[in-house]
Amino acid sequence: MHPAFSVIFLTTLLGAGQGLFLALVTGQVYSRIHLIDAQSSDYYLFGSLIALALLLFGLVASFFHLGRPERAWRTASKWRTSWLSREVIVLPLLMVLVATFGLIQWMGWTTPFVVAGDNALPVDASLVVGVLGAVVAFALFVATAMIYASVKFLQEWSSPLTVFNFTFFGLASGFMLAAAYSAFLGNDLVTFFGTWAVIFTAVAFLSRGASLLRNHRIKYRSNIKTAIGVRHQGIAQTSQGFSAGSFNTREFFHHRGPDTLKVIRVLFMVLVFPVPVLLIGLAYVTKSPNLPILAFLIQYLGLVAERWYFFAEAQHPQNLYYQRVS
């Protein structure tokens, strides 16, 4: 498929924004049950503003992919059958909840109205909105990933691993950003968020590795023989002839050779997984405030490459016929 950078930035920015908000809620819950030190309202306020900005930038990026942006609102009407429609509904809902979470922190409406257990978990408005927002954030992960996983004829995408990958990449980048945000402020939550970021990065490595192995072993249901109805073993497409350069070949093909895909695959496997983990490990030892920030930036760059590869790897059935193009 043809990777569109508007969609690449949409999915990676949304993932980082969702992950950061989930990290903030996780940190708040841990502090309420006294497992980590409590943070000020300003910490959660500015953290939620960063998450909201990432979600907004992702939404803006998506408009560059639309032929008629003024008609985008119509997509919400097909929520019964379309995962894209469900994403269009869930994303603004999450943005409202993230903004509300930040507003509660800013206004100081954090007085507990009920205490669960023996003074174990004080519950206030920010905790209720945060947990509700966390549920919606996971729903958005599923909705975004299912847009691709539900396309049956693109066998590389049609797998539960697509949902796992979108979710764990978002969690890894979001918690990595939370570690970078904490390092920038100089507080002691770098180790907490950095450890979770390493865990989610490791799980994402296993999930993405499994999908790469699965896709390498795919036996395509469509090929040049099924396209023309001839079963001869020696059939090969050597030229498109007068059909070259059609709309379909431009729209559904990445226009790069196999060697480029191999380079991108190696690049994202290095940038997303080992390098950020190594930098977080060094930050533990050296107490450097810059290494977690560098770890997030490098991992995000790797995620952009990973998402490009995700789209380019998918073989549209027409590319299985036009072998010289694909």
Side-chain angles (χ1 to χ4, degrees), residues 64-189:
F64 289 95
H65 191 64
L66 303 177
R68 300 292 298 269
E70 71 277 11
R71 298 178 180 176
W73 62 273
R74 293 184 178 180
T75 58
S77 64
K78 303 297 182 183
W79 59 272
R80 291 183 179 85
T81 56
S82 169
W83 284 104
L84 175 62
S85 180
R86 292 161 190 161
E87 181 193 44
V88 169
I89 294 171
V90 174
L91 174 56
L93 177 60
L94 177 61
M95 295 175 72
V96 169
L97 290 170
V98 173
T100 304
F101 180 81
L103 177 64
I104 291 171
Q105 302 290 348
W106 183 40
M107 299 300 292
W109 299 334
T110 53
T111 302
F113 47 78
V114 66
V115 178
D118 186 16
N119 200 27
L121 181 61
V123 179
D124 61 17
S126 68
L127 191 61
V128 173
V129 173
V131 172
L132 182 59
V135 174
V136 175
F138 278 110
L140 181 57
F141 276 130
V142 173
T144 302
M146 283 304 296
I147 293 172
Y148 309 101
S150 62
V151 183
K152 300 297 183 184
F153 62 88
L154 295 179
Q155 294 176 247
E156 290 85 352
W157 295 353
S158 182
S159 165
L161 289 171
T162 299
V163 180
F164 291 137
N165 290 333
F166 272 63
T167 302
F168 286 112
F169 278 137
L171 289 172
S173 60
F175 277 75
M176 196 71 76
L177 179 55
Y181 172 56
S182 300
F184 177 78
L185 297 178
N187 70 31
D188 55 0
L189 293 185

Side-chain angles (χ1 to χ4, degrees), residues 3-273:
F5 277 98
S6 56
V7 182
I8 291 173
F9 286 121
L10 163 69
T11 55
T12 54
L13 289 173
L14 290 188
Q18 293 165 249
L20 175 58
F21 181 68
L22 289 168
L24 293 173
V25 174
T26 303
Q28 187 180 37
V29 171
Y30 269 65
S31 67
R32 293 294 173 86
I33 58 178
H34 312 294
L35 291 179
I36 61 175
D37 294 336
Q39 300 300 311
S40 66
S41 293
D42 286 346
Y43 177 83
Y44 295 109
L45 168 62
F46 290 109
S48 59
L49 288 177
I50 296 172
L52 186 61
L54 290 171
L55 296 173
L56 182 61
F57 289 149
L59 181 62
V60 171
S62 70
F63 278 81
F64 289 95
H65 191 64
L66 303 177
R68 300 292 298 269
E70 71 277 11
R71 298 178 180 176
W73 62 273
R74 293 184 178 180
T75 58
S77 64
K78 303 297 182 183
W79 59 272
R80 291 183 179 85
T81 56
S82 169
W83 284 104
L84 175 62
S85 180
R86 292 161 190 161
E87 181 193 44
V88 169
I89 294 171
V90 174
L91 174 56
L93 177 60
L94 177 61
M95 295 175 72
V96 169
L97 290 170
V98 173
T100 304
F101 180 81
L103 177 64
I104 291 171
Q105 302 290 348
W106 183 40
M107 299 300 292
W109 299 334
T110 53
T111 302
F113 47 78
V114 66
V115 178
D118 186 16
N119 200 27
L121 181 61
V123 179
D124 61 17
S126 68
L127 191 61
V128 173
V129 173
V131 172
L132 182 59
V135 174
V136 175
F138 278 110
L140 181 57
F141 276 130
V142 173
T144 302
M146 283 304 296
I147 293 172
Y148 309 101
S150 62
V151 183
K152 300 297 183 184
F153 62 88
L154 295 179
Q155 294 176 247
E156 290 85 352
W157 295 353
S158 182
S159 165
L161 289 171
T162 299
V163 180
F164 291 137
N165 290 333
F166 272 63
T167 302
F168 286 112
F169 278 137
L171 289 172
S173 60
F175 277 75
M176 196 71 76
L177 179 55
Y181 172 56
S182 300
F184 177 78
L185 297 178
N187 70 31
D188 55 0
L189 293 185
V190 177
T191 303
F192 173 72
F193 288 124
T195 301
W196 276 112
V198 170
I199 292 172
F200 287 131
T201 300
V203 176
F205 172 77
L206 296 176
S207 177
R208 192 63 173 107
S211 70
L212 288 174
L213 184 61
R214 170 190 174 275
N215 292 347
H216 179 69
R217 295 176 175 175
I218 282 179
K219 293 182 178 178
Y220 293 103
R221 291 187 289 269
S222 301
N223 53 50
I224 190 170
K225 298 174 187 176
T226 61
I228 61 177
V230 177
R231 301 296 177 183
H232 193 281
Q233 297 296 320
I235 297 176
Q237 177 75 281
T238 58
S239 172
Q240 287 189 271
F242 294 111
S243 64
S246 67
F247 170 81
N248 285 345
T249 56
R250 290 193 297 272
E251 187 68 17
F252 301 129
F253 179 56
H254 53 75
H255 307 290
R256 296 291 185 275
D259 291 340
T260 302
L261 263 66
K262 292 179 182 177
V263 171
I264 297 296
R265 184 172 64 236
V266 173
L267 182 67
F268 85 72
M269 290 295 286
V270 171
L271 295 181
V272 173
F273 303 114

